[in-house]
Amino acid sequence: MRRWSLSTRLALLFAACTAVVSLFAGVLFDRASEAHFIELDQQQLETKLIGLRRALQDLQPAQREARLADELNRQADLSLRITSGDGQHWYDSSVQIPKNLPLQTGLSTISHDGTDYRVLRAPLYPDAADSPQLTLLLDITHHQHFLTRMQHLIWLTVGLSALATALLGAWAARSGLRPLRRMSAVARGISAQSLNARLPEEKMPPELAEMTHSFNAMLARLDDSFQRLSAFSADIAHELRTPLSNLLTHTQVTLTRPRALEDYREALHSNLEELQWMAQLVNDMLYLAKADHGLLMPKREPLELADEADMLLEFFAPLAEDAGVSFSREGEAQIEGDRGMLRRALSNLLDNALRFTPAEGYVRLSIVDEGETVRVRVENSGEGISAQLLPRLFDRFYRADPARQEGSSEHAGLGLAITQSIVRAHGGTIHCESEVGFTRFVIQLPKQN
């Protein structure tokens, strides 16, 4: 079964609401009109009843009939029946009066031979128990015809109102839903080459402003992710192209002519270095892929960060001594985390700091216990990093050093990305602060997670 569109649903809803309101208003008007006619008829009959009582009580019997005729002739749609206290007919002003009339005192309505009557029955002498009864009949056929026509008009009005409202509602709904159709058109036109399309938020109604903002934010995230993925693929090809070319060239040159055993051994050792670097690159990429899918599950064990930092500083001490760089560490704190993963993260930061610290410079590692969290800072002296480059430092294959070497077997630009993944896996954050003269990486880790 085909589902109805929102425009159709809104139009039908508008029509139904209008029909209900119109019908309710029409019924109220019909009831009010009927009550008004009843009130008018009752007043007329009661006024006529007073005149008839006076005529029958004050006049002599010989004059009563003439007076009754005179009173009744003044109003052609009025008839009178007089009955005795025991129900015998004494007088009928017209032969068209129905034989069976209501016996209860008061106002009532009857129909006879296509004619509607308002009937008022009252005693001639209100204080007498066996008083003769006066029954006044007022022809109200024209009232009923009017009410019937009004009912028909109400139904016609309800139908026309519902139809008109449905048409206007469909137009209004279609106009009101135009921003959604525009959003749908943008969504249909989105492809890998058109992720920069955006909806104009300032032209959207307030009800759709939040949805439009979320839609544009989603497109921005998709565009950024696609650009990163494209750059990532290009970077992988870029990084692997040089070592693969070196392997092919070296192997082809080695095989051009027979060589001594030592030459083959040297060629194999050279190829092994390139293959080891490529294997490490692939392992790092798999590690980052696991991090992207939330598959990095750090173990939780008590760690003394000061001891871990001292061990790493001792490891890098020979390299620092050769480069003329001083190492220092201050502060201590205990957290629960994965020893191997945190060592790798700190090692990446220390290695990065050591490479970009000039001779006679310094690398400082500080640990600050802040109660619920621990702040770890790795700072080194140097030229600093431009503010425009800071947001990209943790991108994969990104090197802030303009003198980057293609396919370097030492550094592929994945260290900071891996460090960020490890910190996030522990529920922490990392950012970089840099000015002229220093660069500082700041890690914020929870003590328990």
Side-chain angles (χ1 to χ4, degrees):
M1 182 177 179
R2 183 180 179 182
R3 290 178 294 179
W4 289 349
S5 65
L6 283 178
S7 299
T8 302
R9 295 180 184 182
L10 289 175
L12 293 177
L13 181 61
F14 290 154
C17 291
T18 302
V20 171
V21 173
S22 300
L23 182 60
F24 182 71
V27 170
L28 287 180
F29 183 74
D30 179 62
R31 297 291 175 84
S33 300
E34 184 176 2
H36 177 67
F37 283 130
I38 292 175
E39 184 179 358
L40 291 178
D41 294 340
Q42 185 174 4
Q43 290 178 356
Q44 183 178 357
L45 290 172
E46 288 178 348
T47 301
K48 185 62 65 175
L49 177 63
I50 294 173
L52 292 173
R53 281 176 174 171
R54 185 180 299 115
L56 293 173
Q57 292 176 7
D58 298 342
L59 298 177
Q60 297 297 323
Q63 299 174 335
R64 291 176 181 173
E65 187 171 351
R67 181 63 180 271
L68 287 175
D70 181 60
E71 289 287 340
L72 296 174
N73 288 335
R74 295 178 183 179
Q75 192 169 350
D77 55 356
L78 187 64
S79 303
L80 173 64
R81 169 175 290 177
I82 303 176
T83 59
S84 63
D86 57 2
Q88 296 181 5
H89 289 191
W90 285 1
Y91 175 80
D92 281 344
S93 64
S94 173
V95 296
Q96 297 179 352
I97 295 178
K99 293 182 179 181
N100 298 320
L101 293 179
L103 299 179
Q104 71 273 16
T105 302
L107 191 69
S108 60
T109 303
I110 65 171
S111 296
H112 179 71
D113 291 340
T115 303
D116 297 315
Y117 297 96
R118 197 83 69 196
V119 180
L120 178 62
R121 182 180 174 88
L124 177 59
Y125 307 106
D127 298 332
D130 56 349
S131 170
Q133 298 293 319
L134 301 180
T135 304
L136 289 171
L137 293 89
L138 180 64
D139 187 349
I140 59 169
T141 304
H142 60 289
H143 291 175
Q144 298 302 104
H145 287 173
F146 172 78
L147 293 175
T148 301
R149 288 195 303 270
M150 188 173 65
Q151 290 175 354
H152 293 164
L153 182 61
I154 289 173
W155 284 111
L156 179 62
T157 302
V158 170
L160 292 178
S161 299
L163 178 60
T165 305
L167 296 177
L168 293 175
W171 173 80
R174 185 171 180 82
S175 299
L177 294 176
R178 187 178 295 116
L180 287 179
R181 293 197 299 275
R182 189 183 309 163
M183 189 179 297
S184 177
V186 172
R188 286 196 303 269
I190 291 176
S191 64
Q193 291 75 31
S194 61
L195 286 174
N196 57 347
R198 298 293 184 273
L199 289 172
E201 297 185 25
E202 64 280 357
K203 296 182 180 180
M204 292 293 175
E207 294 80 3
L208 296 178
E210 185 176 353
M211 181 185 297
T212 303
H213 179 74
S214 300
F215 186 77
N216 287 339
M218 178 192 69
L219 290 178
R221 291 193 299 271
L222 288 176
D223 187 24
D224 181 68
S225 298
F226 184 79
Q227 295 297 334
R228 289 176 179 270
L229 182 60
S230 299
F232 180 56
S233 301
D235 286 336
I236 291 179
H238 179 80
E239 296 294 335
L240 293 178
R241 179 181 61 184
T242 299
L244 286 175
S245 178
N246 292 341
L247 286 171
L248 288 172
T249 302
H250 198 188
T251 302
Q252 289 171 350
V253 170
T254 303
L255 295 177
T256 53
R257 60 183 176 81
R259 299 179 183 273
L261 181 61
E262 288 300 322
D263 293 337
Y264 286 117
R265 187 186 299 276
E266 182 180 352
L268 289 176
H269 276 294
S270 178
N271 289 350
L272 179 61
E273 291 180 0
E274 297 291 346
L275 291 172
Q276 286 175 337
W277 178 83
M278 292 173 64
Q280 182 61 40
L281 177 63
V282 172
N283 289 333
D284 290 343
M285 292 309 306
L286 290 175
Y287 192 88
L288 290 173
K290 291 175 62 177
D292 289 342
H293 291 84
L295 300 178
L296 286 185
M297 305 300 293
K299 294 181 294 185
R300 300 295 173 181
E301 56 180 319
L303 297 177
E304 290 289 346
L305 287 181
D307 294 343
E308 303 299 327
D310 290 342
M311 186 195 68
L312 291 174
L313 292 177
E314 183 179 355
F315 175 79
F316 282 103
L319 296 177
E321 185 177 353
D322 292 343
V325 177
S326 64
F327 270 6
S328 64
R329 190 270 304 169
E330 61 182 11
E332 59 184 19
Q334 186 180 52
I335 67 170
E336 290 185 359
D338 189 295
R339 187 185 307 275
M341 293 173 67
L342 290 177
R343 280 183 181 179
R344 184 173 186 179
L346 293 176
S347 176
N348 288 339
L349 293 180
L350 291 172
D351 178 66
N352 190 69
L354 183 60
R355 285 190 294 114
F356 291 100
T357 302
E360 306 301 326
Y362 65 86
V363 175
R364 297 172 183 166
L365 192 153
S366 62
I367 303 170
V368 181
D369 191 335
E370 297 182 339
E372 296 295 326
T373 61
V374 173
R375 184 185 297 268
V376 180
R377 291 190 293 245
V378 177
E379 180 180 333
N380 67 282
S381 58
E383 296 181 0
I385 302 174
S386 172
Q388 290 80 7
L389 302 180
L390 289 179
R392 297 197 57 195
L393 284 181
F394 298 96
D395 291 350
R396 299 170 188 182
F397 296 111
Y398 181 75
R399 300 184 181 98
D401 182 10
R404 62 177 284 180
Q405 298 177 354
E406 295 185 2
S408 172
S409 60
E410 294 183 359
H411 305 284
L414 295 177
L416 291 179
I418 292 175
T419 299
Q420 184 184 55
S421 299
I422 292 174
V423 172
R424 288 180 175 177
H426 282 78
T429 59
I430 182 173
H431 67 276
C432 180
E433 304 168 351
S434 184
E435 294 181 6
V436 177
F438 79 92
T439 298
R440 181 188 303 123
F441 287 87
V442 182
I443 299 175
Q444 193 84 19
L445 291 172
K447 284 188 174 182
Q448 295 180 346
N449 191 11

